[in-house]
Amino acid sequence: MKKTISQIFKHPVSRVLTQTVVIAGITFALTEITFRIYNKINPSFVFRDRSYNRWRRKPNARDFNFNLNSHGFKDVEFTQEKPPGTHRILGIGDSFSFGIVPYHDNYLTLVEEGLNAEGKNVELINMGIPGMGPEDYLSLLTNEGLILNPDRIILSFYIGNDFIDNYLLSLDKDEEIFYTVAFFKSLMALNAKFKGTDYNPQNLEYDDDKPTLTDEAYREIVVNASRMFDIEATDGMFLSMFEDAMRDIREIKRICDSRNIDLSVVIIPAEVQVDPNLQAEVIQTFKPDDPEGFDFEYPNRLLRDRFEEYDIDYIDLLDDFREASQTDRLYRPNDTHWNIAGNRLAAELIERHLLKQNLETEAGSGE
């Protein structure tokens, strides 16, 4: 005789299984809600957030001898309302703007100090967030920057990865529907790959001479990022990424013009562009018999030509960094970022450029 459904669920084993499924479902739902609330308050890369918050630092977190502000930016606290008579500048960029050096050695901090030492009443807010790209720069400006009524935007564009960042972001569309699944996937991935590190800005003194990566790991990064300099290989894919980045920069320019906000783009060179030894390694890897096949200034020329076409103010640091690199190290060993000397040189060049433009000391009319 066939059992009815009600009889099946009256069986002790079936009842236990049913209760287990219900409890598991409730637990999963509560966990999912908890993760979503947590990620909303404290965004984390674990949940594959495609917004610019995916690598944002925690508010008030310790960074060497400095506490980040309540927005997670590497700067002091600021008010939404601009102080009277203040020329407010927003520094927007990725990990270069955020900086791997202590706050007081960061180039944006130094620019602010230098301009004020020249008698300019300037507030420069560092809004750098690691991992951002041109699409994120535009989002950050519209979501959090415009409300601060800035007079100028300093947009830092890093040659090393800002062309490809939008492309990589577009590939990351396979976000997990459930945050709980994403959490456990990330946990397993970290457990499989993590080998330990002694880098902890909270507890360590900054060491300007300490390599960040091994020689092998850093050389791999440099070589992989150098295909844009191969004249023959720089085909439609790179030019497509270039145009994608330019669309975001042009939109930033359009927004700034509509609100009477000045815009200056700082073109940050990759170390391979200023270091002949790294260039030799790249050429040896790709074209040992055709050293002329590489043009390490090619992306900069593209940017300069386009910026001039669209009347976008820019500061290309390549020539000055190339010259200074002949006698001084400007990048942290085995790291894509500037050391303290690199930050100081960048600050001097940016400050000089702004002073030549007769930087206004009074607030602009941005709305």
Side-chain angles (χ1 to χ4, degrees):
M1 180 182 295
K2 294 183 179 180
K3 294 184 178 180
T4 63
I5 294 178
S6 60
Q7 289 176 323
I8 292 175
F9 280 105
K10 287 181 179 179
H11 191 279
V13 176
S14 298
R15 191 163 55 248
V16 171
L17 289 175
T18 301
Q19 292 173 347
T20 301
V21 170
V22 171
I23 293 173
I26 294 174
T27 302
F28 183 88
L30 291 176
T31 303
E32 184 72 12
I33 293 172
T34 301
F35 279 148
R36 288 178 181 272
I37 293 175
Y38 173 84
N39 194 59
K40 186 70 175 179
I41 299 173
N42 188 18
S44 170
F45 70 93
V46 170
F47 303 110
R48 305 190 67 172
D49 186 351
R50 294 184 69 246
S51 79
Y52 59 78
N53 287 314
R54 59 194 178 277
W55 298 106
R56 193 171 189 148
R57 297 297 188 256
K58 294 181 180 179
N60 305 308
R62 191 72 174 168
D63 186 89
F64 295 112
N65 59 346
F66 181 79
N67 286 336
L68 307 183
N69 63 26
S70 58
H71 300 272
F73 295 135
K74 195 169 186 174
D75 208 340
V76 298
E77 292 294 340
F78 58 86
T79 59
Q80 178 176 318
E81 183 178 355
K82 181 170 55 180
T86 298
H87 189 91
R88 173 172 277 180
I89 302 175
L90 304 185
I92 295 179
D94 59 9
S95 54
F96 260 92
S97 296
F98 185 87
I100 65 166
V101 298
Y103 163 75
H104 295 288
D105 297 303
N106 183 285
Y107 70 101
L108 293 176
T109 305
L110 297 175
V111 168
E112 180 182 47
E113 293 176 352
L115 291 174
N116 284 318
E118 293 289 333
K120 310 297 183 181
N121 188 12
V122 169
E123 178 189 41
L124 200 165
I125 301 175
N126 184 345
M127 301 181 76
I129 299 177
M132 291 207 301
E135 181 179 326
D136 299 313
Y137 302 154
L138 173 59
S139 297
L140 178 62
L141 173 63
T142 56
N143 292 341
E144 301 183 48
L146 295 178
I147 197 174
L148 299 177
N149 190 24
D151 300 293
R152 178 182 294 270
I153 306 297
I154 294 180
L155 178 65
S156 295
F157 188 96
Y158 174 49
I159 292 293
N161 60 26
D162 270 353
F163 289 116
I164 199 172
D165 278 339
N166 280 4
Y167 173 72
L168 294 177
L169 186 61
S170 69
L171 295 180
D172 193 17
K173 293 181 178 179
D174 57 338
E175 298 178 68
E176 293 290 346
I177 297 177
F178 298 110
Y179 279 36
T180 307
V181 176
F183 172 78
F184 284 107
K185 279 189 174 181
S186 297
L187 195 63
M188 289 186 290
L190 288 172
N191 184 59
K193 297 178 181 179
F194 181 70
K195 297 182 180 180
T197 177
D198 59 0
Y199 177 70
N200 186 349
Q202 299 183 34
N203 302 318
L204 293 180
E205 293 292 329
Y206 176 75
D207 186 349
D208 208 37
D209 299 317
K210 184 177 181 179
T212 302
L213 302 171
T214 64
D215 291 346
E216 181 180 359
Y218 182 61
R219 294 306 184 270
E220 182 178 354
I221 291 175
V222 170
V223 169
N224 289 337
S226 295
R227 298 181 185 275
M228 74 178 83
F229 308 118
D230 186 341
I231 298 174
E232 291 184 358
T234 306
D235 53 12
M237 184 173 184
F238 172 74
L239 293 178
S240 175
M241 291 188 290
F242 172 83
E243 294 296 344
D244 191 16
M246 277 305 309
R247 277 192 292 271
D248 291 320
I249 296 176
R250 287 187 65 188
E251 180 62 13
I252 291 173
K253 169 67 171 173
R254 186 195 66 78
I255 292 173
C256 287
D257 286 348
S258 69
R259 293 172 175 260
N260 198 26
I261 300 171
D262 293 322
L263 170 66
S264 296
V265 180
V266 180
I267 305 176
I268 299 176
E271 186 178 15
V272 68
Q273 293 182 279
V274 305
D275 187 337
N277 294 324
L278 285 177
Q279 292 176 12
E281 290 189 34
V282 169
I283 293 173
Q284 183 63 33
T285 300
F286 291 111
K287 292 189 173 182
D289 299 325
D290 183 21
E292 300 301 321
F294 269 80
D295 183 352
F296 291 95
E297 194 176 339
Y298 175 64
N300 298 63
R301 282 203 308 275
L302 287 179
L303 284 174
R304 292 196 301 264
D305 290 345
R306 199 61 66 85
F307 287 165
E308 289 173 6
E309 178 182 352
Y310 297 126
D311 194 28
I312 298 175
D313 180 56
Y314 67 89
I315 313 158
D316 190 352
L317 306 181
L318 179 57
D319 287 342
D320 292 281
F321 266 71
R322 192 157 45 196
E323 180 180 354
S325 290
Q326 297 178 16
T327 56
D328 300 308
R329 182 173 187 85
L330 303 175
Y331 292 76
R332 177 90 175 261
N334 289 357
D335 198 305
T336 58
H337 303 88
W338 292 327
N339 60 11
I340 291 177
N343 275 269
R344 288 176 179 171
L345 176 58
E348 292 173 7
L349 297 171
I350 296 170
E351 179 187 343
R352 186 189 310 164
H353 179 87
L354 295 178
L355 289 174
K356 283 183 178 179
Q357 291 189 329
N358 295 319
L359 182 74
E360 296 293 337
T361 58
E362 294 185 358
S365 58
E367 298 177 0

